[in-house]
Amino acid sequence: MEIILVGPPGAGKGTQAQRLIALIAVPQISTGDMLREAKKAGTKLGLEAKSYMERGVLVPDEIVIGLVEERLKASDCNPGYMLDGFPRTVAQAMALDGILSKMQRKIDHVLLLEVPDEVIVERITGRRTCKHCGKIYHIKFDPPPQESCECGSKGEFMVRADDKEDVVKERLKIYHDQTAPLAKYYQKKSVLRVIDGLGSPDQVFDRIRKFLMTSDREGGGSDES
Ligand code: AP5
Protein backbone atom coordinates (compact mmCIF):
# COMPACT_ATOMS: atom_id res chain seq x y z
CA MET A 1 0.00 0.00 0.00
CA GLU A 2 1.34 3.46 -0.93
CA ILE A 3 0.15 6.11 1.51
CA ILE A 4 0.79 9.77 2.23
CA LEU A 5 -0.03 11.27 5.65
CA VAL A 6 -0.66 15.01 5.55
CA GLY A 7 -1.79 17.41 8.24
CA PRO A 8 -0.78 20.42 10.27
CA PRO A 9 2.19 20.22 12.65
CA GLY A 10 1.18 18.25 15.72
CA ALA A 11 -1.95 16.82 14.08
CA GLY A 12 -0.78 13.32 15.02
CA LYS A 13 0.87 12.13 11.79
CA GLY A 14 3.80 10.50 13.61
CA THR A 15 1.50 9.02 16.28
CA GLN A 16 -0.75 7.44 13.65
CA ALA A 17 2.18 6.36 11.47
CA GLN A 18 3.64 4.38 14.40
CA ARG A 19 0.31 2.53 14.72
CA LEU A 20 -0.21 2.11 10.97
CA ILE A 21 3.14 0.51 10.20
CA ALA A 22 2.17 -2.31 12.55
CA LEU A 23 -1.09 -2.75 10.63
CA ILE A 24 0.09 -2.59 7.03
CA ALA A 25 3.79 -3.54 7.38
CA VAL A 26 5.35 -0.83 5.23
CA PRO A 27 8.17 1.54 6.23
CA GLN A 28 7.41 5.00 7.58
CA ILE A 29 9.32 7.66 5.65
CA SER A 30 9.31 10.83 7.74
CA THR A 31 11.25 13.69 6.17
CA GLY A 32 11.23 15.47 9.54
CA ASP A 33 12.91 12.44 11.20
CA MET A 34 15.40 12.10 8.33
CA LEU A 35 16.36 15.77 8.59
CA ARG A 36 16.67 15.57 12.40
CA GLU A 37 18.93 12.50 12.07
CA ALA A 38 21.14 14.37 9.56
CA LYS A 39 21.26 17.30 11.96
CA LYS A 40 22.25 15.04 14.86
CA ALA A 41 24.95 13.37 12.76
CA GLY A 42 26.29 16.82 11.83
CA THR A 43 26.27 16.15 8.08
CA LYS A 44 26.38 19.01 5.56
CA LEU A 45 22.71 18.40 4.79
CA GLY A 46 21.83 18.39 8.51
CA LEU A 47 23.63 21.65 9.16
CA GLU A 48 21.87 23.28 6.22
CA ALA A 49 18.47 21.97 7.34
CA LYS A 50 18.99 23.09 10.96
CA SER A 51 18.62 26.82 10.27
CA TYR A 52 15.32 26.30 8.47
CA MET A 53 13.87 23.83 10.97
CA GLU A 54 14.67 25.92 14.03
CA ARG A 55 12.80 28.86 12.49
CA GLY A 56 9.83 26.64 11.65
CA VAL A 57 10.09 27.21 7.90
CA LEU A 58 10.37 24.61 5.17
CA VAL A 59 13.69 23.19 4.05
CA PRO A 60 14.13 23.92 0.30
CA ASP A 61 12.23 21.58 -2.00
CA GLU A 62 15.28 20.28 -3.88
CA ILE A 63 16.85 18.97 -0.64
CA VAL A 64 13.84 16.99 0.55
CA ILE A 65 12.88 15.75 -2.92
CA GLY A 66 16.38 14.27 -3.34
CA LEU A 67 16.18 12.62 0.09
CA VAL A 68 12.80 11.01 -0.63
CA GLU A 69 13.77 9.88 -4.13
CA GLU A 70 16.79 8.00 -2.74
CA ARG A 71 14.76 6.49 0.11
CA LEU A 72 11.99 5.21 -2.17
CA LYS A 73 14.55 3.21 -4.16
CA ALA A 74 15.40 1.05 -1.12
CA SER A 75 14.12 -2.53 -1.32
CA ASP A 76 12.06 -2.28 1.88
CA CYS A 77 9.75 0.09 -0.04
CA ASN A 78 8.87 -2.63 -2.59
CA PRO A 79 5.66 -3.66 -0.77
CA GLY A 80 4.72 -0.01 -0.17
CA TYR A 81 5.55 2.93 2.08
CA MET A 82 4.01 5.57 4.25
CA LEU A 83 5.21 9.11 3.56
CA ASP A 84 4.88 11.23 6.71
CA GLY A 85 5.36 14.98 6.22
CA PHE A 86 6.18 14.76 2.51
CA PRO A 87 5.06 16.26 0.19
CA ARG A 88 4.48 19.62 1.85
CA THR A 89 4.24 21.89 -1.18
CA VAL A 90 2.56 21.48 -4.54
CA ALA A 91 6.04 21.56 -6.14
CA GLN A 92 7.04 18.57 -3.96
CA ALA A 93 3.82 16.74 -4.91
CA MET A 94 4.50 17.25 -8.60
CA ALA A 95 8.09 16.06 -8.18
CA LEU A 96 6.81 12.98 -6.33
CA ASP A 97 4.43 12.20 -9.19
CA GLY A 98 7.41 12.30 -11.56
CA ILE A 99 9.52 10.02 -9.33
CA LEU A 100 6.69 7.50 -8.90
CA SER A 101 5.84 7.49 -12.57
CA LYS A 102 9.48 6.65 -13.43
CA MET A 103 9.22 3.78 -10.94
CA GLN A 104 5.81 2.74 -12.36
CA ARG A 105 4.15 3.21 -9.01
CA LYS A 106 1.30 5.35 -7.75
CA ILE A 107 -0.24 6.63 -4.54
CA ASP A 108 -3.24 4.68 -3.20
CA HIS A 109 -4.39 7.09 -0.50
CA VAL A 110 -3.60 10.54 0.85
CA LEU A 111 -4.87 10.73 4.43
CA LEU A 112 -5.35 14.29 5.62
CA LEU A 113 -5.59 14.56 9.41
CA GLU A 114 -7.81 17.52 10.19
CA VAL A 115 -7.20 19.22 13.56
CA PRO A 116 -8.09 22.85 14.37
CA ASP A 117 -5.24 25.28 15.16
CA GLU A 118 -6.37 25.86 18.74
CA VAL A 119 -5.85 22.17 19.58
CA ILE A 120 -2.43 22.03 17.88
CA VAL A 121 -0.48 24.25 20.28
CA GLU A 122 -1.44 22.18 23.34
CA ARG A 123 -0.60 18.93 21.53
CA ILE A 124 2.82 20.12 20.36
CA THR A 125 4.01 21.91 23.47
CA GLY A 126 3.23 18.78 25.54
CA ARG A 127 5.04 16.37 23.20
CA ARG A 128 7.87 14.22 24.56
CA THR A 129 9.82 11.76 22.41
CA CYS A 130 11.92 8.81 23.58
CA LYS A 131 15.55 9.61 22.81
CA HIS A 132 16.24 5.97 21.96
CA CYS A 133 13.30 4.59 19.96
CA GLY A 134 11.46 7.77 18.91
CA LYS A 135 8.16 6.75 20.51
CA ILE A 136 5.93 9.79 20.83
CA TYR A 137 4.25 10.65 24.15
CA HIS A 138 2.30 13.61 25.53
CA ILE A 139 2.58 14.91 29.08
CA LYS A 140 -1.23 15.08 29.45
CA PHE A 141 -2.79 12.79 26.82
CA ASP A 142 -0.25 9.93 26.82
CA PRO A 143 2.27 10.49 29.64
CA PRO A 144 5.71 8.88 29.28
CA PRO A 145 6.35 6.12 31.84
CA GLN A 146 8.31 7.35 34.86
CA GLU A 147 11.05 4.73 34.88
CA SER A 148 11.69 3.58 31.35
CA CYS A 149 10.23 3.77 27.85
CA GLU A 150 8.36 0.74 26.48
CA CYS A 151 11.49 0.04 24.35
CA GLY A 152 13.23 -0.81 27.64
CA SER A 153 15.63 2.13 27.67
CA LYS A 154 15.99 4.38 30.70
CA GLY A 155 13.36 7.11 30.44
CA GLU A 156 14.98 9.95 28.49
CA PHE A 157 12.26 11.97 26.84
CA MET A 158 13.16 14.94 24.66
CA VAL A 159 11.43 18.17 23.73
CA ARG A 160 12.01 19.10 20.07
CA ALA A 161 13.87 22.34 19.36
CA ASP A 162 11.05 23.55 17.08
CA ASP A 163 8.27 22.88 19.62
CA LYS A 164 8.43 26.31 21.29
CA GLU A 165 5.13 28.18 21.06
CA ASP A 166 6.37 31.00 18.77
CA VAL A 167 7.96 28.49 16.35
CA VAL A 168 4.79 26.37 16.39
CA LYS A 169 2.77 29.43 15.33
CA GLU A 170 5.16 30.02 12.41
CA ARG A 171 4.89 26.33 11.41
CA LEU A 172 1.10 26.60 11.42
CA LYS A 173 1.23 29.69 9.20
CA ILE A 174 3.53 27.89 6.75
CA TYR A 175 1.16 24.91 6.79
CA HIS A 176 -1.84 27.03 5.80
CA ASP A 177 0.09 28.94 3.13
CA GLN A 178 2.13 26.17 1.53
CA THR A 179 0.83 22.72 2.53
CA ALA A 180 -2.96 23.08 2.77
CA PRO A 181 -3.24 23.57 -1.05
CA LEU A 182 -2.25 19.89 -1.37
CA ALA A 183 -5.82 18.94 -0.40
CA LYS A 184 -7.17 20.29 -3.71
CA TYR A 185 -4.26 18.78 -5.62
CA TYR A 186 -5.01 15.27 -4.34
CA GLN A 187 -8.77 15.69 -4.38
CA LYS A 188 -8.54 16.20 -8.14
CA LYS A 189 -6.69 12.89 -8.34
CA SER A 190 -9.45 11.20 -6.25
CA VAL A 191 -7.01 9.85 -3.67
CA LEU A 192 -7.75 12.26 -0.81
CA ARG A 193 -9.43 11.11 2.38
CA VAL A 194 -10.04 13.65 5.14
CA ILE A 195 -9.81 12.06 8.60
CA ASP A 196 -11.15 13.78 11.70
CA GLY A 197 -8.05 14.08 13.93
CA LEU A 198 -9.97 14.96 17.10
CA GLY A 199 -10.50 12.41 19.87
CA SER A 200 -7.97 10.03 21.38
CA PRO A 201 -5.12 8.59 19.26
CA ASP A 202 -6.92 5.21 19.34
CA GLN A 203 -10.18 6.75 18.12
CA VAL A 204 -8.38 8.48 15.24
CA PHE A 205 -6.55 5.25 14.39
CA ASP A 206 -9.84 3.38 14.32
CA ARG A 207 -11.20 5.84 11.72
CA ILE A 208 -8.13 5.31 9.54
CA ARG A 209 -8.20 1.54 9.97
CA LYS A 210 -11.88 1.31 9.05
CA PHE A 211 -11.35 3.48 5.98
CA LEU A 212 -8.38 1.40 4.78
CA MET A 213 -10.26 -1.87 5.33
CA THR A 214 -13.33 -0.62 3.45
CA SER A 215 -11.37 0.89 0.56
CA ASP A 216 -9.33 -2.32 0.28
CA ARG A 217 -12.56 -4.34 -0.11
CA GLU A 218 -14.05 -1.82 -2.53
CA GLY A 219 -10.80 -1.39 -4.48
CA GLY A 220 -10.55 2.38 -4.07
CA GLY A 221 -10.99 5.42 -1.83
CA SER A 222 -13.14 8.50 -1.77
CA ASP A 223 -12.66 12.09 -0.81
CA GLU A 224 -15.40 12.31 1.81
CA SER A 225 -14.73 12.19 5.53
P1 AP5 B 1 8.09 17.28 10.92
O1 AP5 B 1 8.93 16.53 11.85
O2 AP5 B 1 7.48 16.58 9.77
O3 AP5 B 1 7.00 18.05 11.77
P2 AP5 B 1 5.47 18.45 11.50
O4 AP5 B 1 4.88 18.10 10.20
O5 AP5 B 1 5.43 19.87 11.88
O6 AP5 B 1 4.70 17.51 12.40
P3 AP5 B 1 5.05 17.07 13.82
O7 AP5 B 1 6.11 15.99 13.80
O8 AP5 B 1 5.34 18.27 14.69
O9 AP5 B 1 3.66 16.54 14.32
P4 AP5 B 1 2.84 15.21 14.02
O10 AP5 B 1 1.69 15.53 13.14
O11 AP5 B 1 3.74 14.10 13.59
O12 AP5 B 1 2.27 14.99 15.47
P5 AP5 B 1 2.66 13.90 16.58
O13 AP5 B 1 2.14 12.57 16.20
O14 AP5 B 1 4.09 13.98 16.96
O15 AP5 B 1 8.90 18.52 10.31
C1 AP5 B 1 9.73 19.34 11.12
C2 AP5 B 1 10.44 20.38 10.24
O16 AP5 B 1 11.26 19.69 9.27
C3 AP5 B 1 9.51 21.27 9.40
O17 AP5 B 1 9.05 22.39 10.12
C4 AP5 B 1 10.45 21.66 8.25
O18 AP5 B 1 11.37 22.66 8.64
C5 AP5 B 1 11.24 20.36 8.01
N1 AP5 B 1 10.57 19.49 7.01
C6 AP5 B 1 10.07 18.24 7.23
N2 AP5 B 1 9.54 17.73 6.10
C7 AP5 B 1 9.72 18.68 5.15
C8 AP5 B 1 9.35 18.77 3.79
N3 AP5 B 1 8.70 17.77 3.17
N4 AP5 B 1 9.67 19.90 3.11
C9 AP5 B 1 10.34 20.91 3.70
N5 AP5 B 1 10.70 20.91 5.00
C10 AP5 B 1 10.39 19.81 5.73
O19 AP5 B 1 1.74 14.43 17.79
C11 AP5 B 1 2.03 15.65 18.43
C12 AP5 B 1 1.70 15.53 19.94
O20 AP5 B 1 0.30 15.35 20.08
C13 AP5 B 1 2.36 14.30 20.62
O21 AP5 B 1 2.74 14.64 21.90
C14 AP5 B 1 1.24 13.24 20.64
O22 AP5 B 1 1.38 12.36 21.73
C15 AP5 B 1 0.00 14.12 20.75
N6 AP5 B 1 -1.15 13.55 20.06
C16 AP5 B 1 -1.17 12.93 18.83
N7 AP5 B 1 -2.43 12.55 18.53
C17 AP5 B 1 -3.21 12.95 19.58
C18 AP5 B 1 -4.61 12.83 19.85
N8 AP5 B 1 -5.45 12.25 18.98
N9 AP5 B 1 -5.06 13.36 21.02
C19 AP5 B 1 -4.21 13.96 21.91
N10 AP5 B 1 -2.87 14.08 21.70
C20 AP5 B 1 -2.39 13.58 20.55
Side-chain angles (χ1 to χ4, degrees), residues 5-19 28 30-36 49-61 63-65 67-68 84-89 92 113 115 119-129 134-143 160 162-163 167-168 170-172 174-175 178-179 196-205 207:
L5 273 178
V6 193
K13 302 180 294 296
T15 302
Q16 296 303 326
Q18 289 180 347
R19 288 166 161 76
Q28 173 193 6
S30 158
T31 40
D33 286 347
M34 289 161 91
L35 292 167
R36 275 184 291 279
K50 183 173 186 258
S51 67
Y52 296 98
M53 294 171 81
E54 286 181 355
R55 281 181 290 134
V57 299
L58 296 184
V59 173
D61 285 343
I63 296 182
V64 280
I65 290 167
L67 265 182
V68 171
D84 162 6
F86 180 93
R88 252 174 153 98
T89 62
Q92 289 180 17
L113 283 182
V115 178
V119 177
I120 294 291
V121 177
E122 187 184 18
R123 282 197 186 175
I124 294 199
T125 50
R127 171 167 46 202
R128 299 293 181 270
T129 308
K135 178 155 171 53
I136 303 164
Y137 295 94
H138 189 281
I139 49 171
K140 178 169 163 192
F141 304 120
D142 183 12
R160 262 169 51 179
D162 58 347
D163 280 355
V167 183
V168 173
E170 178 64 19
R171 286 162 61 196
L172 270 172
I174 301 269
Y175 173 78
Q178 300 190 41
T179 307
D196 177 3
L198 290 176
S200 71
D202 285 344
Q203 285 170 327
V204 177
F205 181 62
R207 287 176 200 133

Side-chain angles (χ1 to χ4, degrees), residues 27 68-80 103 105:
V68 171
E69 181 163 22
E70 273 316 299
R71 181 65 185 85
L72 285 173
K73 286 181 190 156
S75 60
D76 65 333
C77 293
N78 291 345
M103 298 172 83
R105 309 190 68 153

Side-chain angles (χ1 to χ4, degrees), residues 145-186:
Q146 295 215 321
E147 295 298 317
S148 58
C149 176
E150 65 179 38
C151 69
S153 67
K154 186 168 137 282
E156 290 181 285
F157 304 105
M158 303 178 315
V159 176
R160 262 169 51 179
D162 58 347
D163 280 355
K164 299 184 197 92
E165 197 168 333
D166 54 333
V167 183
V168 173
K169 287 190 174 146
E170 178 64 19
R171 286 162 61 196
L172 270 172
K173 184 176 170 302
I174 301 269
Y175 173 78
H176 290 297
D177 291 348
Q178 300 190 41
T179 307
L182 285 178
K184 263 212 178 93
Y185 182 86
Y186 285 118

